[in-house]
Amino acid sequence: MPLNYQTALSFIFAIEEINRNPHLLPNISLGYEFHNLLPSYWRLLESFFILHTGQNEMPNYTCGKESKSVALLTGTSWATSAQIGPLLELYKFPQVSFGSFNPMFGDNGQLPSVYQVASKDTSLVHGMVSLMLHFSWTWVGIIVAEGHKGLQFVSDFRGEAEKSRVCIAFVKMISSSYASYFLHIEKNDIIAQEASPVNVVIIYYDTDSLNHVNHYIQLHLVTWKVWVTNSQWHADVAGRNFILDTFHGLLIFSHHHEKISGFKDFIQKATPSKYPEDTFLSLFWFQNFHCSLSESDCSPKNCTPNASLAWLPENIFDPVMSDWSYDIYNAVYAVAYALQEMSLQQIQMPPMEDEGMFYPWQLHPFMKSIQFTSPAGEQVNLDLTRKVDANYNIVNLWNFPEGLRLRVKVGEFFSHSQFGQYLAISEDLIEWATEITELPHSSCSESCHPGFRKSLQEGKPVCCFVCTPCLENEIANGTDIEQCVMCPDQEYANIQRTHCLQKSVIFLSYEDPLGKTLAGIALSFTIITSAVLGLFVKHQDTPIVKANNRALSYTLLISLTFCFLCTLLFIGHPNTATCILQHTTFAVVFTVAVSTVLAKTITVVLAFKVTAPHRSMRQLLVSGAPNSIIPICSLIQLSLCGVWMGTNPPYIDTDAHSEHGHIIIMCNKGSLTAFYCVLGYLGSLALLSFTVAFLARNLPDTFNEAKFLTFSMLVFCSVWVTFLPVYHSSKGKVMVAMEVFSMLASSAGLLVCIFAPKCFIILFRPERNSLHGFRVNKYPEEKVSF
């Protein structure tokens, strides 16, 4: 094959370059022999005996040779080394392999006399996984040839892929025997079936299976895939027989090496006339330059004038060194440097021309320790313990009609750099497979967009998942996020659940429409209450004012004024002072108002129950005993508030959860027990006032306000009974607004129900507000003077 012949030319180029170098093996000329690889174990052994002894009749006996073979360079197939290695071990004959690195051979392996030039391929799986991650290919298939190296690659790739969440859709083992393929056609047809849902397939070659795997894939016409493979890619390049679409866009991980100067010039000058003994070169010339054969010696003649190998297209002959050519070039130099080290140690011995001077086994110590800088400027050593991982060029294969092919470098992967592992890709240079017009996509499940998280499916690989929306106030700001992140309390998630936004601080302010409305209502009722108080003061000597105890009416109107005004403490930005004043003021002024209503009710009851001038009830009524209810009840409430303030008073608090996107500043009541004790005490007074007023509702008299007191307390109790469940079901500003509204409604209920009828009479029925308007009754006139 042309690539194999390029390797042979690299071997000759290295030997000629060494022979011209005055500093390397001076006064010594290297020679060489070629032995073609024959697919027979016995033929391999025969080739070695001919090489070692110089004749093919009697093994172990050297004769008829003027020069001595000191090392054997074996080719790309490890089967060759495995077959001939045990025999070479018997003779301690050095063997240098320029094939891919195999950890099974060497000092710690099966064949210690085998030396490997190639770098380790340990980082190949890292490079391939990095490529998968770069293009977000998480669902890939693997095709490998049967054998130890293929199994080891699958194991290493699986371990690295699991760390990076790249899943293997299938692993297909291909037999290295053509015969087994035709015996198991149905079994191997599964390649096409398994590859169909996967857009990216990795092909790992060892050198014994190249054409077999190519044959399988091309025969099944598995096209329009992204194929990724290692550097040992040598498919059929025989022009018209090449299937155009199968491997177009192939990505190859080829060993990175520096350019060797002089090789292209050597290729241009390599002709049958320069190397007449090279029958392979003559055959190659005959096949490609329209030559005829000489009848005398079968040499090519009448060829294209000035023909050169450099003229040929790259699919026929590539003038750039392949990985194997580069390794055989370094292998020749390794043997040369080892010979030089050995010659320096034996400088006192007889001249090199003495046939008994060197024995191949003497070269081993120098081969093991040899380390040198190649003409390309790279460090080369054969010690397994000092070998480093290979760096890779990523090459894109472009196919053209008639089997023409072009290799384009589109990236590189360095396993050890100042940035650690480093992958660089020029995506604009990549030619994808036929009919792929954009970046290929290969995944088991579609990516989860921001705002969604991945939910794994039981029994399926981690790459197969469903996308679940993030919960409330959680975000996912990237693709394929596994867990949503909760926003901090000061932030909230946007509608798309992709970002956390800063919450705005709010409270029941005067600028808020609800705050404006409540403040307006409070001020309006404050003015109305003040106006009623002024009206009563102005008409203080009229019967309707005097009849229901003027002092209690004034006290009730003043307390109601403060009830309306105390609601303003709940509106505006809260602070420590307002939080404490809110509920203490509310508790005290409402206690005064309710206890005043209770005192008025008891006053009415006592007034109508006095039937004799000297009864004790009359004495209570005259002495103003009912008025003492107000300070007693208020003192009890003040005591409860004092205990509340002394144990766990209200404080400023924030509510970050009630309203989406807002942080509500509000007053925390501190001790809920104390709050409900204060509220319960106020409710008990209201219930007592309602009960007493209800019992006195049917007492006669023109100016009897028992019915109005009853109705006012009914409204008051109804408001607060309704308030409690609504208050507990509300949140944020609405909770505060409900509290303010209940205070306004209950205060307005007392004001309207008790004083509206009296104001109507004073303003619109003045004739009823006089003694002449009284209905004659059996009670003495003194009763209505209270």
Side-chain angles (χ1 to χ4, degrees):
M1 291 181 65
L3 188 62
N4 289 341
Y5 187 64
Q6 189 214 60
T7 305
L9 290 178
S10 300
F11 175 80
I12 298 172
F13 170 69
I15 289 183
E16 292 185 357
E17 192 175 60
I18 292 171
N19 288 335
R20 292 194 305 268
N21 189 345
H23 305 291
L24 184 58
L25 293 179
N27 302 322
I28 298 177
S29 295
L30 294 179
Y32 60 89
E33 292 183 16
F34 279 116
H35 288 260
N36 197 20
L37 177 63
L38 300 175
S40 168
Y41 176 63
W42 300 110
R43 290 294 186 184
L44 287 173
L45 298 182
E46 181 183 36
S47 296
F48 170 70
F49 280 122
I50 294 173
L51 172 70
H52 184 55
T53 65
Q55 49 86 37
N56 57 3
E57 296 177 357
M58 297 168 48
N60 296 333
Y61 180 78
T62 302
C63 63
K65 296 198 69 174
E66 297 180 356
S67 58
K68 185 74 172 179
S69 297
V70 294
L72 174 65
L73 274 60
T74 53
T76 59
S77 173
W78 274 107
T80 305
S81 297
Q83 290 176 351
I84 203 173
L87 179 62
L88 295 178
E89 287 295 326
L90 294 176
Y91 294 96
K92 301 299 180 182
F93 198 90
Q95 180 186 174
V96 184
S97 171
F98 56 90
S100 58
F101 184 83
N102 192 329
M104 294 181 62
F105 299 100
D107 290 337
N108 300 322
Q110 302 173 358
L111 303 174
S113 294
V114 176
Y115 303 96
Q116 303 182 64
V117 179
S119 302
K120 292 181 179 179
D121 280 324
T122 311
S123 60
L124 178 63
V125 293
H126 298 281
M128 288 188 171
V129 171
S130 297
L131 183 71
M132 304 297 113
L133 295 177
H134 176 83
F135 290 112
S136 299
W137 295 333
T138 58
W139 191 239
V140 300
I142 299 179
I143 299 177
V144 298
E146 289 181 346
H148 168 75
K149 293 186 69 177
L151 292 175
Q152 185 63 46
F153 173 81
V154 172
S155 175
D156 294 342
F157 186 89
R158 191 186 302 276
E160 187 65 22
E162 288 178 356
K163 297 177 185 177
S164 304
R165 299 300 180 93
V166 175
C167 298
I168 300 175
F170 65 87
V171 176
K172 184 62 186 174
M173 306 294 293
I174 302 296
S175 172
S176 59
S177 171
Y178 277 112
S180 65
Y181 169 75
F182 292 106
L183 291 175
H184 303 86
I185 249 179
E186 294 182 358
K187 178 182 177 181
N188 283 283
D189 188 57
I190 200 171
I191 297 175
Q193 299 173 9
E194 289 180 331
S196 57
V198 181
N199 292 326
V200 177
V201 180
I202 296 173
I203 308 174
Y204 179 79
Y205 290 91
D206 59 27
T207 55
D208 297 326
S209 62
L210 299 177
N211 293 323
H212 302 88
V213 177
N214 300 338
H215 174 74
Y216 290 162
I217 296 174
Q218 291 181 351
L219 188 64
H220 285 290
L221 295 177
V222 185
T223 59
W224 306 305
K225 303 289 181 185
V226 177
W227 304 97
V228 181
T229 186
N230 58 323
S231 58
Q232 278 70 39
W233 172 264
H234 309 295
D236 178 25
V237 290
R240 297 177 184 273
N241 295 328
F242 182 77
I243 299 177
L244 175 63
D245 290 336
T246 305
F247 294 117
H248 179 67
L250 177 77
L251 294 174
I252 308 170
F253 275 78
S254 176
H255 284 190
H256 174 81
H257 52 73
E258 301 298 329
K259 183 178 179 181
I260 296 178
S261 61
F263 182 69
K264 190 172 184 180
D265 184 63
F266 170 79
I267 292 295
Q268 290 177 338
K269 296 178 181 179
T271 62
S273 60
K274 185 176 181 180
Y275 301 99
E277 73 284 358
D278 190 343
T279 56
F280 295 104
L281 184 58
S282 297
L283 179 60
F284 201 72
W285 224 260
F286 173 76
Q287 291 175 339
N288 292 282
F289 295 114
H290 310 288
C291 303
S292 59
L293 294 177
S294 172
E295 295 181 359
S296 58
D297 57 359
C298 291
S299 62
K301 65 178 182 177
N302 301 324
C303 302
T304 303
N306 301 321
S308 171
L309 292 175
W311 290 10
L312 298 174
E314 291 186 9
N315 66 300
I316 301 299
F317 189 90
D318 192 349
V320 179
M321 274 192 178
S322 67
D323 294 342
W324 293 342
S325 297
Y326 186 78
D327 288 337
I328 198 173
Y329 176 83
N330 287 332
V332 174
Y333 267 90
V335 174
Y337 275 103
L339 284 171
Q340 178 161 282
E341 290 293 326
M342 187 171 64
S343 65
L344 290 176
Q345 283 198 7
Q346 300 181 357
I347 192 80
Q348 303 298 328
M349 297 184 66
M352 289 285 292
E353 287 76 14
D354 188 341
E355 188 176 359
M357 173 129 201
F358 287 137
Y359 294 96
W361 57 266
Q362 293 177 299
L363 202 60
H364 282 297
F366 305 97
M367 294 291 291
K368 291 179 180 179
S369 61
I370 195 66
Q371 182 172 348
F372 63 94
T373 302
S374 71
E378 296 184 351
Q379 290 293 318
V380 179
N381 69 78
L382 305 183
D383 187 357
L384 297 181
T385 61
R386 291 184 294 171
K387 279 190 176 296
V388 297
D389 293 336
N391 295 320
Y392 296 93
N393 291 331
I394 302 175
V395 179
N396 189 214
L397 201 65
W398 296 3
N399 291 325
F400 299 96
E402 299 298 323
L404 299 179
R405 173 173 293 163
L406 183 63
R407 297 168 186 258
V408 180
K409 179 181 175 181
V410 297
E412 55 190 9
F413 175 78
F414 292 99
S415 56
H416 300 286
S417 68
Q418 59 179 343
F419 307 107
Q421 291 186 351
Y422 171 76
L423 175 72
I425 294 290
S426 299
E427 296 184 21
D428 55 328
L429 294 178
I430 299 178
E431 282 287 329
W432 301 110
T434 305
E435 295 191 7
I436 297 181
T437 58
E438 57 185 14
L439 179 65
H441 180 70
S442 186
S443 61
C444 180
S445 302
E446 291 296 326
S447 295
C448 292
H449 299 294
F452 294 82
R453 66 175 179 87
K454 296 195 301 185
S455 296
L456 300 181
Q457 296 177 289
E458 186 176 357
K460 292 188 177 181
V462 294
C463 299
C464 301
F465 50 83
V466 294
C467 297
T468 305
C470 291
L471 299 178
E472 185 179 357
N473 214 39
E474 292 184 345
I475 65 166
N477 56 4
T479 57
D480 292 339
I481 298 297
E482 296 183 359
Q483 292 293 336
C484 297
V485 178
M486 178 71 72
C487 289
D489 286 343
Q490 295 78 17
E491 299 177 349
Y492 69 99
N494 60 351
I495 298 177
Q496 294 79 17
R497 310 283 172 84
T498 57
H499 294 90
C500 289
L501 304 177
Q502 188 68 36
K503 290 182 177 180
S504 59
V505 178
I506 62 171
F507 49 88
L508 187 61
S509 65
Y510 290 104
E511 290 77 17
D512 189 282
L514 183 59
K516 285 182 180 179
T517 302
L518 294 176
I521 295 173
L523 292 175
S524 300
F525 274 105
T526 301
I527 295 172
I528 293 173
T529 306
S530 300
V532 172
L533 179 58
L535 185 64
F536 269 52
V537 171
K538 182 180 180 180
H539 299 84
Q540 61 182 330
D541 296 326
T542 59
I544 199 168
V545 176
K546 293 171 64 178
N548 298 287
N549 198 325
R550 287 178 299 187
L552 292 179
S553 296
Y554 295 159
T555 303
L556 181 58
L557 287 171
I558 293 173
S559 63
L560 288 177
T561 302
F562 283 106
C563 286
F564 289 122
L565 289 176
C566 79
T567 59
L568 300 178
L569 293 172
F570 292 80
I571 305 174
H573 195 293
N575 54 55
T576 304
T578 56
C579 285
I580 294 176
L581 289 175
Q582 277 180 5
H583 295 93
T584 54
T585 305
F586 154 74
V588 172
V589 297
F590 269 79
T591 300
V592 172
V594 174
S595 60
T596 302
V597 173
L598 178 61
K600 288 176 69 67
T601 308
I602 292 176
T603 300
V604 172
V605 172
L606 290 176
F608 282 95
K609 291 299 181 181
V610 175
T611 56
H614 300 291
R615 291 189 63 174
S616 58
M617 286 188 180
R618 178 182 176 88
Q619 187 63 33
L620 289 174
L621 191 61
V622 173
S623 63
N627 295 347
S628 62
I629 294 175
I630 300 173
I632 293 173
C633 293
S634 300
L635 185 61
I636 295 173
Q637 187 69 287
L638 281 172
S639 301
L640 292 176
C641 290
V643 174
W644 184 8
M645 296 303 109
T647 55
N648 189 8
Y651 57 90
I652 299 176
D653 197 6
T654 57
D655 181 4
H657 307 288
S658 296
E659 292 192 23
H660 182 71
H662 299 93
I663 298 177
I664 302 173
I665 299 180
M666 56 189 300
C667 290
N668 189 298
K669 293 177 178 58
S671 174
L672 287 177
T673 303
F675 170 73
Y676 285 117
C677 286
V678 168
L679 202 62
Y681 175 71
L682 182 60
S684 300
L685 283 180
L687 185 61
L688 179 61
S689 299
F690 171 74
T691 303
V692 175
F694 180 79
L695 295 175
R697 71 187 184 282
N698 293 323
L699 293 176
D701 197 81
T702 302
F703 299 112
N704 180 18
E705 60 178 356
K707 293 182 179 179
F708 303 132
L709 293 175
T710 302
F711 189 66
S712 67
M713 292 313 300
L714 178 63
V715 172
F716 186 91
C717 294
S718 299
V719 168
W720 286 104
V721 169
T722 307
F723 159 78
L724 289 175
V726 176
Y727 177 79
H728 285 290
S729 63
S730 303
K731 295 181 180 180
K733 292 194 304 181
V734 178
M735 180 185 292
V736 180
M738 284 302 304
E739 194 170 1
V740 173
F741 177 79
S742 299
M743 294 166 63
L744 292 175
S746 58
S747 301
L750 294 177
L751 177 66
V752 173
C753 294
I754 296 175
F755 295 99
K758 297 179 176 60
C759 292
F760 179 79
I761 293 174
I762 293 172
L763 295 175
F764 302 105
R765 294 289 187 268
E767 68 279 2
R768 296 177 58 185
N769 191 15
S770 63
L771 293 176
H772 300 288
F774 284 174
R775 176 174 59 87
V776 178
N777 54 70
K778 62 181 179 179
Y779 299 106
E781 188 178 299
E782 292 86 349
K783 292 190 295 185
V784 298
S785 63
F786 300 101

